[in-house]
Amino acid sequence: MIITSKQNPKVKALGSLRQRRNREQAGVTLVDGYEELSCALRCGVKIQQLYYCPELMGGAEQVARLQQLLQDGVDATELSRPVFEKIAYREGADGWLAVVTAIKTDLKSIKPSEHLLLLVCESVEKPGNLGAMLRTADAAGADAVISVDSVTDWSNPNVVRASKGAVFSVPVADVAQTEFYAWLKDNDIAIVASTPDTDMPYTEPELTSGVALLVGSEKFGLSDFWLQHADYRVRIPMNGKIDSLNVATSGALLLYEAIRQRNLQI
């Protein structure tokens, strides 16, 4: 049976998951897109519900994957193109939308180690920036990405999309400021805070031991709390006429400096 009505109860229920509150109450994440869902499945994520539109799918590979999922007994519902395009979170929908179990964001799932490498973002607002940081963290082999005093949730479909599914491959956590600071101190993890208001270049601190690399919100940067409690305050050189880098770019530079230093020890 193909759903062709935008007023169908299933379609309305799916649309309600656009809101963070409803996703959290239901304990689910929306995965919008074939590449993102493929990454989630490779990471062991189980589909609760699959919504699909063959007319929007591209290529024999996707058709074969759909047939395999249907044979495996996945709870799947076909939508007409107008209905799917209404319900999809992204423009240029590709015919794949899945409801999966909510991403785990408990700090307890992050295991401290001697060489722990964390990318930490404080109050970052834009899902695209969170997603980009996840992709970089996956590529760099970071142990986790931590959101402190979060504004956007990890289950936001735009975070999933911008990360290309890396939100399922990189451990994440959502934690309050004071709780996270205590956790860092208890586990002897150095705090490196990025800020333009310092003379120390980001290449100077030793980043081969356990370290948390902190970047702040798009508008305000890091809060005074982290700047006051950091073990190192570092700056990324700026030689142009603007005074800030994109937060995801800053995170990438810090991560790869840590990787560079660690590779020199091998």
Side-chain angles (χ1 to χ4, degrees):
M1 175 182 173
I2 303 174
I3 293 179
T4 58
S5 172
K6 297 176 183 179
Q7 303 305 314
N8 184 281
K10 270 194 170 184
V11 174
K12 287 187 173 182
L14 189 58
S16 72
L17 296 179
R18 288 172 172 266
Q19 298 182 22
R20 176 177 182 172
R21 178 183 60 186
N22 293 333
R23 290 194 301 272
E24 291 178 344
Q25 288 179 348
V28 299
T29 299
L30 286 177
V31 185
D32 190 351
Y34 178 73
E35 290 185 17
E36 293 80 358
L37 181 58
S38 295
C39 182
L41 292 173
R42 288 195 299 271
C43 295
V45 173
K46 302 298 183 184
I47 296 174
Q48 291 187 7
Q49 297 171 310
L50 174 66
Y51 296 86
Y52 65 96
C53 177
E55 186 179 346
L56 292 169
M57 290 181 180
E61 175 189 333
Q62 293 191 27
V63 173
R65 172 61 69 88
L66 174 62
Q67 292 303 317
Q68 185 61 59
L69 290 172
L70 294 176
Q71 290 174 19
D72 291 342
V74 169
D75 181 2
T77 301
E78 183 175 349
L79 305 178
S80 68
R81 180 168 184 163
V83 173
F84 194 96
E85 289 180 333
K86 172 182 173 58
I87 209 65
Y89 218 91
R90 62 198 290 176
E91 294 182 4
D94 65 2
W96 293 85
L97 179 61
V99 180
V100 304
T101 303
I103 296 162
K104 293 181 179 179
T105 61
D106 192 337
L107 188 60
K108 294 178 182 178
S109 65
I110 311 300
K111 304 302 181 185
S113 66
E114 182 181 357
H115 300 289
L116 190 71
L117 178 57
L118 303 177
L119 179 58
V120 182
C121 48
E122 181 187 32
S123 302
V124 169
E125 296 182 12
K126 295 181 180 179
N129 284 330
L130 287 175
M133 285 189 277
L134 280 164
R135 291 180 69 179
T136 300
D138 179 87
D143 292 294
V145 179
I146 312 295
S147 178
V148 178
D149 294 340
S150 65
V151 177
T152 300
D153 63 310
W154 290 118
S155 290
N156 184 302
N158 282 330
V159 173
V160 178
R161 178 188 179 188
S163 76
K164 288 293 183 183
V167 70
F168 300 107
S169 64
V170 179
V172 298
D174 192 347
V175 65
Q177 180 187 85
T178 53
E179 178 188 354
F180 186 54
Y181 177 70
W183 186 87
L184 292 173
K185 292 290 107 179
D186 288 344
N187 292 289
D188 196 28
I189 298 170
I191 300 171
V192 177
S194 59
T195 174
D197 300 320
T198 182
D199 293 326
M200 181 180 290
Y202 74 105
T203 54
E204 184 172 319
E206 185 269 313
L207 305 177
T208 58
S209 301
V211 64
L213 307 172
L214 274 64
V215 294
S217 69
E218 293 91 342
K219 187 174 182 179
F220 300 109
L222 283 169
S223 64
D224 288 341
F225 176 89
W226 290 112
L227 296 177
Q228 292 168 6
H229 289 86
D231 296 291
Y232 304 99
R233 292 189 295 173
V234 301
R235 67 186 299 271
I236 297 169
M238 298 286 296
N239 298 317
K241 299 187 185 311
I242 59 174
D243 62 357
S244 66
L245 280 175
N246 173 272
V247 64
T249 301
S250 298
L253 288 168
L254 295 174
L255 268 180
Y256 272 93
E257 173 58 22
I259 297 302
R260 183 191 70 81
Q261 293 186 20
R262 292 170 185 222
N263 286 342
L264 290 175
Q265 290 192 338
I266 297 176

